[in-house]
Amino acid sequence: MDDFGVYAAFGVNGPPQNAEGSSRVRVAVPPSVRQVVLFSSGRWGERICVNAELNDSDRMPITIGKLTPYNKCLSWEQWEEETWIDSVTLNVSLEGGNLDTAAPPAARELHGKRKREQTAEEEEGNDWTKRREEEENMCPNATSEKTTPVRKVRGQAKGSQKLFASGADTTKLKGAGEKGAPLASPSGRWGQTLCPIDAQTAILIGGQGARMQFCKDPMWKLCTEDMSWVAAETLAEGPTPEARIGHTAVYDPDSRRIFVFGGSKNKKWFNDVHILDTQSWKWTMVEAQGKVPPLAYHSCSMFQGELFVLGGVFPRPNPEPDDCSDSLYIFDPRLSIWYQPIVTGDKPSPRSGHSACVMQERKIYVFGGWDTPVCYNDMYMLDLGLMEFSAVKTTGNPPSPRSWHGSAVLSDTKFLIHGGYNGNNALSDAFIFDIDTNSWTEVSVPELSVPRAGHSIITMETAGHRCFSEEDEDAAMNGGRTLLVFGGGDNEGNFYSDLTTVAVEELLGAI
């Protein structure tokens, strides 16, 4: 006997309820409800997953999640600063087998009770569900691609600078051409992190998008083999980090763990450390010793298993404004302790929104940043052997002052700076810095011509870009790597969810 069931509770006083027989169900969420809980009970058998969405009146996703045999409960709660739109619906679909799915008494008949007459709106909803049941089930990484209409909404980023005075989510959804279809790629956002964990996988965490809303789809897995996205929030066990922007996420290849630190959410600031074990897919929150202030828009670099955190914005008691830091903090995961090293030399002035690139496994190059009202385009280098800072005297055509730009290491001797925000506008130019000659070169890259700030840039191996030549060492190293640019905003109210790719070999050839 199959005892599998999926249940929903609407509000803290709403008892769990279930119905039977359908693989897709769409039900109305009562307007007064501030919390929705969805959970499964019984043996999963051949069932793969249960996809769930909360949709607004336009059937655009407010938030999504997934029940699996390993993650059997989802909970959505309305944030204090948010207001759910009227006519919110819960859409549930099963992949593999049949589904016992919940509904409140006002929206669906309960077992043993007489079914009341349906309203016209409910009949329309049931017709929609019936049509959807006739369609092929769609996983979050569906390969078909369509585009939803752009949503014109208000939005503003929080932090030491005010960016994006109005908001439009330019999200493109794979498989979401029909209203209510599962979200198959991340929503538009800025201030997120994109962290590679192996040659062909990266993890997207956090961010803020339109409506001043923190993303309700905060975690995704990117597979560069076919450039597909998979919603990953419910794939991992344990307490997930609270929604945030301006945090950092770095990967330690030795322990195969991602370390998430800091960030902010409206008037809340974080100094917590969350660790995602990519082997067990389990989150843990570290109870660290030592002192580190809450920070956002800082830089974080991994060196010999430790996290090097530099700069960033930190809060001060009202009515004083938030301030920028020039301090270096180190976190030792083995001892779960923060400490401040003795650093000599000419260190950078206080700043946030800067970049930091680890080069040749012994130097960190720090570029740009912001400390109200000044933007920087200076360069500093931290020698990790001597723990000594020095100002770098550069030649060539340097980038203009900026913060919230993207950066990525292209080779042993070169890294890229792209875009950012200069205090007035988002930027689209790109520059490559050579640490052997300390020289800047501006490069023209048509694929990177869209102005954006608060975006993510990484380099990874991608299918179709492989180089097996042993004659040219640089070509062998870079020929199989691709630059990936995701998200950001343009200071004109647009938040991006596009994924742009450029071959590293092409970038280096443009010098």
Coordinates of all heavy atoms in Angstrom, one line a residue, residues 73-144:
C73 N 10.4 19.1 4.0 CA 9.5 20.2 4.5 C 10.0 21.5 3.9 O 11.2 21.7 3.8 CB 9.6 20.2 6.0 SG 8.6 21.5 6.8
L74 N 9.1 22.3 3.5 CA 9.3 23.7 3.1 C 8.5 24.7 3.9 O 7.3 24.3 4.3 CB 9.0 23.9 1.6 CG 9.8 23.1 0.6 CD1 9.2 23.3 -0.8 CD2 11.3 23.6 0.6
S75 N 9.0 25.8 4.2 CA 8.3 26.8 5.0 C 8.5 28.2 4.4 O 9.7 28.6 4.2 CB 8.7 26.8 6.5 OG 8.0 27.8 7.2
W76 N 7.5 28.9 4.1 CA 7.6 30.3 3.6 C 6.9 31.2 4.6 O 5.8 31.0 5.0 CB 6.9 30.5 2.2 CG 7.6 29.6 1.1 CD1 8.8 29.8 0.5 CD2 7.0 28.5 0.5 NE1 9.0 28.9 -0.4 CE2 7.9 28.0 -0.4 CE3 5.8 27.7 0.7 CZ2 7.7 26.9 -1.2 CZ3 5.6 26.6 -0.1 CH2 6.5 26.2 -1.0
E77 N 7.6 32.3 4.9 CA 7.0 33.2 5.9 C 7.2 34.6 5.3 O 8.3 35.0 4.8 CB 7.7 33.2 7.2 CG 7.0 34.0 8.3 CD 7.6 33.8 9.7 OE1 8.5 32.9 9.8 OE2 7.1 34.4 10.6
Q78 N 6.2 35.4 5.4 CA 6.2 36.8 4.9 C 7.1 37.6 5.8 O 7.0 37.7 7.0 CB 4.8 37.4 4.9 CG 4.6 38.8 4.5 CD 3.2 39.2 4.4 OE1 2.3 38.4 4.4 NE2 2.9 40.5 4.5
W79 N 8.1 38.3 5.1 CA 9.0 39.2 5.9 C 8.2 40.4 6.4 O 7.2 40.8 5.9 CB 10.1 39.7 5.0 CG 11.0 38.6 4.5 CD1 11.0 38.2 3.2 CD2 11.9 37.7 5.2 NE1 11.9 37.1 3.0 CE2 12.5 36.8 4.2 CE3 12.3 37.7 6.5 CZ2 13.4 35.9 4.6 CZ3 13.2 36.7 6.9 CH2 13.7 35.8 5.9
E80 N 8.7 40.9 7.5 CA 8.1 42.0 8.2 C 8.0 43.2 7.3 O 7.0 44.0 7.3 CB 8.8 42.4 9.5 CG 8.7 41.4 10.6 CD 9.4 41.8 11.8 OE1 10.0 42.9 11.8 OE2 9.4 41.0 12.8
E81 N 9.0 43.5 6.4 CA 9.0 44.7 5.6 C 8.3 44.4 4.3 O 8.3 45.3 3.4 CB 10.4 45.1 5.4 CG 11.3 44.2 4.5 CD 12.0 43.2 5.3 OE1 11.6 43.0 6.5 OE2 12.9 42.5 4.7
E82 N 7.8 43.2 4.0 CA 7.2 42.9 2.8 C 5.7 42.8 2.9 O 5.1 42.6 4.0 CB 7.7 41.6 2.2 CG 9.2 41.6 2.0 CD 9.7 40.2 1.6 OE1 8.9 39.3 1.7 OE2 10.9 40.1 1.3
T83 N 5.0 42.9 1.8 CA 3.5 42.7 1.8 C 3.2 41.8 0.6 O 3.5 42.1 -0.6 CB 2.8 44.0 1.6 OG1 3.1 44.9 2.7 CG2 1.3 43.8 1.5
W84 N 2.7 40.6 0.9 CA 2.3 39.7 -0.2 C 1.1 40.3 -1.0 O 0.2 41.0 -0.4 CB 1.9 38.4 0.4 CG 3.0 37.5 0.8 CD1 4.4 37.8 0.7 CD2 3.0 36.2 1.3 NE1 5.1 36.8 1.1 CE2 4.3 35.8 1.5 CE3 2.0 35.3 1.6 CZ2 4.6 34.5 2.0 CZ3 2.3 34.1 2.1 CH2 3.6 33.7 2.3
I85 N 1.2 40.1 -2.2 CA 0.1 40.6 -3.1 C -1.1 39.8 -2.9 O -1.0 38.6 -2.6 CB 0.6 40.5 -4.6 CG1 1.9 41.3 -4.7 CG2 -0.4 41.1 -5.5 CD1 2.6 41.1 -6.1
D86 N -2.3 40.4 -3.2 CA -3.5 39.6 -3.1 C -3.5 38.5 -4.2 O -2.8 38.6 -5.2 CB -4.7 40.5 -3.3 CG -4.9 41.4 -2.1 OD1 -4.4 41.1 -1.1 OD2 -5.6 42.5 -2.3
S87 N -4.4 37.5 -4.0 CA -4.5 36.4 -5.0 C -3.3 35.6 -5.1 O -2.9 35.2 -6.2 CB -5.0 37.0 -6.4 OG -6.1 37.8 -6.3
V88 N -2.6 35.4 -4.0 CA -1.4 34.5 -4.1 C -1.9 33.0 -4.2 O -2.8 32.6 -3.5 CB -0.5 34.7 -2.8 CG1 0.6 33.6 -2.7 CG2 0.1 36.1 -2.8
T89 N -1.2 32.2 -5.0 CA -1.6 30.8 -5.2 C -0.4 30.0 -4.9 O 0.8 30.4 -5.1 CB -2.1 30.5 -6.6 OG1 -1.1 30.9 -7.5 CG2 -3.4 31.3 -6.8
L90 N -0.7 28.8 -4.4 CA 0.4 27.7 -4.2 C 0.2 26.7 -5.3 O -0.9 26.1 -5.5 CB 0.2 27.1 -2.9 CG 1.1 25.8 -2.6 CD1 2.6 26.3 -2.6 CD2 0.7 25.2 -1.3
N91 N 1.3 26.5 -6.1 CA 1.3 25.5 -7.2 C 2.2 24.4 -6.9 O 3.4 24.6 -6.5 CB 1.7 26.2 -8.5 CG 0.8 27.3 -8.9 OD1 -0.3 27.1 -9.4 ND2 1.3 28.6 -8.7
V92 N 1.7 23.2 -6.9 CA 2.5 22.0 -6.6 C 2.4 21.0 -7.7 O 1.4 20.7 -8.3 CB 1.9 21.4 -5.3 CG1 2.8 20.1 -4.9 CG2 1.9 22.4 -4.1
S93 N 3.6 20.4 -8.1 CA 3.6 19.4 -9.1 C 4.6 18.4 -8.8 O 5.7 18.6 -8.2 CB 4.0 20.0 -10.5 OG 5.3 20.6 -10.5
L94 N 4.3 17.1 -9.1 CA 5.1 16.0 -8.8 C 5.8 15.4 -10.0 O 5.2 15.3 -11.1 CB 4.2 14.9 -8.1 CG 4.9 13.5 -7.8 CD1 5.9 13.7 -6.7 CD2 3.9 12.4 -7.5
E95 N 7.0 15.0 -9.8 CA 7.8 14.3 -10.9 C 7.9 12.9 -10.5 O 8.6 12.5 -9.6 CB 9.2 15.0 -11.1 CG 9.1 16.4 -11.6 CD 10.5 17.0 -11.7 OE1 11.4 16.2 -11.9 OE2 10.6 18.2 -11.6
G96 N 7.1 12.0 -11.2 CA 7.2 10.6 -11.0 C 6.1 10.2 -10.0 O 6.1 10.6 -8.8
G97 N 5.1 9.4 -10.4 CA 4.1 8.8 -9.6 C 2.9 9.8 -9.4 O 2.7 10.7 -10.2
N98 N 2.1 9.5 -8.4 CA 0.9 10.3 -8.1 C 1.1 11.1 -6.8 O 2.0 10.8 -6.0 CB -0.3 9.5 -7.9 CG -0.7 8.8 -9.2 OD1 -0.7 9.4 -10.2 ND2 -1.1 7.5 -9.1
L99 N 0.3 12.1 -6.6 CA 0.5 13.1 -5.6 C -0.7 13.3 -4.7 O -1.8 13.4 -5.2 CB 0.9 14.5 -6.2 CG 1.0 15.7 -5.3 CD1 2.3 15.5 -4.4 CD2 1.1 16.9 -6.1
D100 N -0.5 13.2 -3.4 CA -1.5 13.6 -2.5 C -1.2 15.0 -2.0 O -0.2 15.2 -1.3 CB -1.6 12.7 -1.2 CG -2.0 11.3 -1.6 OD1 -2.6 11.1 -2.7 OD2 -1.7 10.4 -0.9
T101 N -1.9 16.0 -2.4 CA -1.5 17.4 -2.2 C -2.6 18.2 -1.4 O -3.8 17.9 -1.5 CB -1.3 18.1 -3.6 OG1 -0.4 17.3 -4.3 CG2 -0.8 19.5 -3.4
A102 N -2.1 19.1 -0.6 CA -3.0 19.8 0.3 C -3.7 20.9 -0.3 O -3.3 21.5 -1.3 CB -2.1 20.3 1.5
A103 N -4.8 21.3 0.4 CA -5.5 22.5 0.0 C -6.3 23.0 1.2 O -6.8 22.1 2.0 CB -6.4 22.3 -1.2
P104 N -6.6 24.3 1.4 CA -7.4 24.7 2.5 C -8.9 24.4 2.2 O -9.2 24.2 1.0 CB -7.2 26.2 2.6 CG -6.8 26.5 1.2 CD -6.0 25.4 0.7
P105 N -9.7 24.2 3.2 CA -11.2 23.9 3.0 C -11.8 24.8 2.0 O -12.7 24.4 1.2 CB -11.8 24.0 4.4 CG -10.6 23.8 5.3 CD -9.5 24.4 4.6
A106 N -11.5 26.1 2.0 CA -12.2 27.1 1.1 C -11.8 26.9 -0.3 O -12.5 27.4 -1.2 CB -11.8 28.5 1.5
A107 N -10.7 26.1 -0.6 CA -10.3 26.0 -2.0 C -10.5 24.6 -2.6 O -10.5 24.5 -3.8 CB -8.8 26.4 -2.1
R108 N -10.6 23.6 -1.7 CA -10.7 22.3 -2.2 C -11.5 21.4 -1.3 O -11.5 21.6 -0.1 CB -9.3 21.7 -2.4 CG -9.2 20.5 -3.2 CD -7.8 20.1 -3.5 NE -7.7 18.9 -4.3 CZ -7.7 18.9 -5.6 NH1 -7.7 20.0 -6.3 NH2 -7.6 17.7 -6.3
E109 N -12.2 20.4 -1.8 CA -13.0 19.5 -1.0 C -12.1 18.6 -0.1 O -11.1 18.1 -0.5 CB -13.8 18.6 -1.9 CG -14.7 17.6 -1.2 CD -15.4 16.7 -2.1 OE1 -15.0 16.7 -3.3 OE2 -16.4 16.0 -1.7
L110 N -12.5 18.4 1.2 CA -11.8 17.5 2.1 C -12.5 16.2 2.0 O -13.7 16.0 1.6 CB -11.8 18.1 3.5 CG -11.1 19.4 3.7 CD1 -11.3 19.9 5.1 CD2 -9.7 19.3 3.3
H111 N -11.8 15.1 2.5 CA -12.3 13.8 2.5 C -13.6 13.7 3.3 O -13.6 14.2 4.5 CB -11.3 12.8 3.0 CG -10.0 12.8 2.1 ND1 -10.1 12.5 0.8 CD2 -8.7 13.0 2.5 CE1 -8.9 12.5 0.3 NE2 -8.0 12.8 1.3
G112 N -14.6 13.1 2.8 CA -15.8 12.8 3.6 C -16.7 14.0 3.7 O -17.7 13.9 4.4
K113 N -16.4 15.1 3.1 CA -17.3 16.3 3.1 C -17.8 16.6 1.8 O -17.2 16.4 0.8 CB -16.5 17.5 3.7 CG -16.1 17.3 5.2 CD -15.5 18.6 5.7 CE -15.1 18.4 7.2 NZ -14.6 19.7 7.8
R114 N -19.0 17.2 1.8 CA -19.7 17.5 0.5 C -19.0 18.7 -0.1 O -18.7 19.7 0.5 CB -21.2 17.8 0.8 CG -21.9 18.1 -0.5 CD -23.4 18.4 -0.1 NE -24.2 18.7 -1.3 CZ -25.5 19.0 -1.3 NH1 -26.1 19.0 -0.1 NH2 -26.1 19.3 -2.4
K115 N -18.8 18.6 -1.4 CA -18.1 19.7 -2.2 C -19.1 20.8 -2.4 O -20.2 20.6 -2.9 CB -17.6 19.1 -3.5 CG -16.8 20.1 -4.3 CD -16.2 19.5 -5.5 CE -15.3 20.4 -6.3 NZ -14.7 19.8 -7.4
R116 N -18.7 22.0 -2.1 CA -19.6 23.2 -2.3 C -19.5 23.6 -3.8 O -18.6 23.2 -4.5 CB -19.2 24.3 -1.4 CG -17.8 24.9 -1.7 CD -17.6 26.1 -0.8 NE -16.2 26.6 -1.0 CZ -15.9 27.4 -2.0 NH1 -16.7 27.7 -3.0 NH2 -14.6 27.8 -2.2
E117 N -20.4 24.6 -4.2 CA -20.3 25.1 -5.5 C -19.0 25.9 -5.7 O -18.6 26.7 -4.8 CB -21.5 26.0 -5.8 CG -22.8 25.2 -5.9 CD -24.0 26.1 -6.3 OE1 -23.7 27.3 -6.6 OE2 -25.1 25.6 -6.3
Q118 N -18.4 25.8 -6.9 CA -17.2 26.5 -7.2 C -17.5 27.9 -7.7 O -18.5 28.1 -8.4 CB -16.4 25.8 -8.2 CG -15.8 24.5 -7.8 CD -15.0 23.9 -8.9 OE1 -15.4 23.9 -10.0 NE2 -13.9 23.3 -8.5
T119 N -16.7 28.9 -7.3 CA -16.8 30.2 -7.9 C -16.2 30.2 -9.3 O -15.5 29.2 -9.7 CB -16.1 31.2 -7.1 OG1 -14.7 30.9 -7.1 CG2 -16.5 31.2 -5.6
A120 N -16.5 31.2 -10.1 CA -16.0 31.3 -11.4 C -14.4 31.3 -11.4 O -13.8 30.8 -12.3 CB -16.5 32.6 -12.1
E121 N -13.9 32.0 -10.4 CA -12.4 32.1 -10.3 C -11.8 30.7 -10.1 O -10.8 30.3 -10.6 CB -12.0 33.0 -9.2 CG -10.5 33.1 -9.0 CD -10.1 34.1 -7.9 OE1 -11.0 34.7 -7.3 OE2 -8.9 34.3 -7.7
E122 N -12.5 29.9 -9.2 CA -12.0 28.5 -8.9 C -12.1 27.7 -10.1 O -11.3 26.8 -10.4 CB -12.8 27.9 -7.7 CG -12.4 28.6 -6.4 CD -13.4 28.2 -5.3 OE1 -14.4 27.7 -5.6 OE2 -13.0 28.4 -4.1
E123 N -13.3 27.8 -10.9 CA -13.4 27.0 -12.1 C -12.3 27.3 -13.1 O -11.7 26.4 -13.7 CB -14.8 27.3 -12.7 CG -15.9 26.7 -11.9 CD -17.3 27.1 -12.5 OE1 -17.3 27.9 -13.5 OE2 -18.3 26.6 -12.1
E124 N -12.0 28.6 -13.2 CA -10.9 29.0 -14.1 C -9.6 28.4 -13.6 O -8.8 27.9 -14.4 CB -10.8 30.6 -14.1 CG -9.7 31.1 -15.1 CD -8.3 31.1 -14.6 OE1 -8.2 31.2 -13.4 OE2 -7.4 31.0 -15.4
G125 N -9.4 28.4 -12.3 CA -8.1 27.8 -11.7 C -8.1 26.3 -12.0 O -7.0 25.8 -12.4
N126 N -9.2 25.6 -11.9 CA -9.2 24.2 -12.2 C -9.0 23.9 -13.6 O -8.3 22.9 -14.0 CB -10.5 23.5 -11.7 CG -10.6 23.4 -10.2 OD1 -9.6 23.5 -9.5 ND2 -11.8 23.3 -9.6
D127 N -9.6 24.8 -14.5 CA -9.3 24.6 -15.9 C -7.8 24.8 -16.2 O -7.3 24.0 -17.0 CB -10.1 25.6 -16.7 CG -11.6 25.3 -16.7 OD1 -12.0 24.1 -16.4 OD2 -12.4 26.2 -17.0
W128 N -7.2 25.8 -15.6 CA -5.8 26.0 -15.8 C -5.0 24.8 -15.3 O -4.1 24.3 -16.0 CB -5.3 27.2 -15.0 CG -3.9 27.5 -15.1 CD1 -3.3 28.3 -16.1 CD2 -2.9 27.0 -14.3 NE1 -1.9 28.3 -15.8 CE2 -1.6 27.6 -14.8 CE3 -2.8 26.2 -13.1 CZ2 -0.4 27.3 -14.1 CZ3 -1.6 26.0 -12.5 CH2 -0.4 26.5 -13.0
T129 N -5.4 24.2 -14.2 CA -4.7 23.0 -13.6 C -4.8 21.9 -14.6 O -3.8 21.1 -14.9 CB -5.2 22.6 -12.3 OG1 -5.1 23.7 -11.4 CG2 -4.5 21.4 -11.7
K130 N -6.0 21.7 -15.1 CA -6.2 20.6 -16.0 C -5.4 20.7 -17.3 O -4.8 19.7 -17.8 CB -7.7 20.5 -16.4 CG -8.1 19.3 -17.2 CD -9.6 19.2 -17.5 CE -10.4 19.1 -16.2 NZ -11.8 19.0 -16.4
R131 N -5.3 21.9 -17.8 CA -4.4 22.1 -19.0 C -3.0 21.9 -18.7 O -2.3 21.3 -19.4 CB -4.6 23.6 -19.5 CG -5.9 23.9 -20.1 CD -5.9 25.2 -20.9 NE -5.4 26.3 -20.1 CZ -6.2 27.1 -19.4 NH1 -7.5 26.9 -19.3 NH2 -5.7 28.1 -18.7
R132 N -2.5 22.3 -17.5 CA -1.2 22.1 -17.1 C -0.9 20.6 -16.9 O 0.2 20.1 -17.2 CB -0.8 22.8 -15.8 CG -0.9 24.3 -15.9 CD 0.1 24.8 -16.8 NE 1.5 24.6 -16.3 CZ 2.5 24.5 -17.0 NH1 2.5 24.6 -18.3 NH2 3.7 24.2 -16.4
E133 N -1.9 19.8 -16.4 CA -1.7 18.4 -16.2 C -1.4 17.7 -17.6 O -0.8 16.6 -17.6 CB -2.9 17.7 -15.5 CG -2.9 18.1 -14.0 CD -4.2 17.6 -13.4 OE1 -5.0 17.0 -14.1 OE2 -4.3 17.8 -12.2
E134 N -1.9 18.3 -18.6 CA -1.8 17.6 -19.9 C -0.4 17.9 -20.5 O 0.0 17.3 -21.5 CB -2.9 18.2 -20.9 CG -4.3 17.7 -20.5 CD -5.3 18.4 -21.3 OE1 -5.0 19.3 -22.2 OE2 -6.5 18.1 -21.2
E135 N 0.3 18.9 -19.9 CA 1.6 19.2 -20.5 C 2.7 18.3 -19.8 O 2.5 17.7 -18.8 CB 1.9 20.7 -20.1 CG 1.0 21.7 -20.8 CD 1.2 23.1 -20.3 OE1 2.2 23.3 -19.5 OE2 0.5 24.0 -20.7
E136 N 3.8 18.3 -20.5 CA 5.0 17.6 -19.9 C 5.5 18.2 -18.7 O 5.6 19.4 -18.5 CB 6.1 17.5 -21.0 CG 7.3 16.8 -20.5 CD 8.4 16.8 -21.6 OE1 8.2 17.5 -22.6 OE2 9.4 16.2 -21.4
N137 N 5.8 17.3 -17.6 CA 6.4 17.8 -16.4 C 7.7 18.5 -16.7 O 8.5 18.0 -17.5 CB 6.6 16.7 -15.4 CG 5.3 16.2 -14.8 OD1 4.3 16.9 -14.9 ND2 5.4 15.0 -14.2
M138 N 8.0 19.6 -16.1 CA 9.2 20.4 -16.4 C 10.0 20.5 -15.1 O 9.5 21.0 -14.1 CB 8.8 21.8 -16.9 CG 8.0 21.8 -18.1 SD 7.7 23.4 -18.8 CE 9.4 23.8 -19.3
C139 N 11.3 20.1 -15.2 CA 12.2 20.2 -14.0 C 12.7 21.6 -14.0 O 12.7 22.3 -15.0 CB 13.3 19.2 -14.2 SG 12.8 17.5 -14.1
P140 N 13.4 22.0 -12.9 CA 13.9 23.4 -12.9 C 15.0 23.6 -13.9 O 15.3 24.7 -14.2 CB 14.5 23.4 -11.4 CG 13.7 22.5 -10.7 CD 13.4 21.4 -11.6
N141 N 15.7 22.6 -14.4 CA 16.7 22.8 -15.4 C 16.2 22.4 -16.8 O 17.0 21.8 -17.6 CB 18.0 22.0 -15.0 CG 17.7 20.5 -15.0 OD1 16.6 20.1 -14.8 ND2 18.8 19.7 -15.1
A142 N 14.9 22.6 -17.1 CA 14.4 22.3 -18.4 C 15.2 23.1 -19.5 O 15.7 24.2 -19.3 CB 12.9 22.8 -18.5
T143 N 15.4 22.4 -20.6 CA 16.2 22.9 -21.6 C 15.5 23.9 -22.6 O 16.2 24.6 -23.3 CB 16.9 21.8 -22.4 OG1 15.8 21.0 -23.0 CG2 17.8 21.0 -21.5
S144 N 14.2 23.9 -22.7 CA 13.5 24.8 -23.5 C 13.6 26.2 -23.0 O 13.7 26.4 -21.8 CB 12.1 24.4 -23.7 OG 11.4 24.5 -22.4

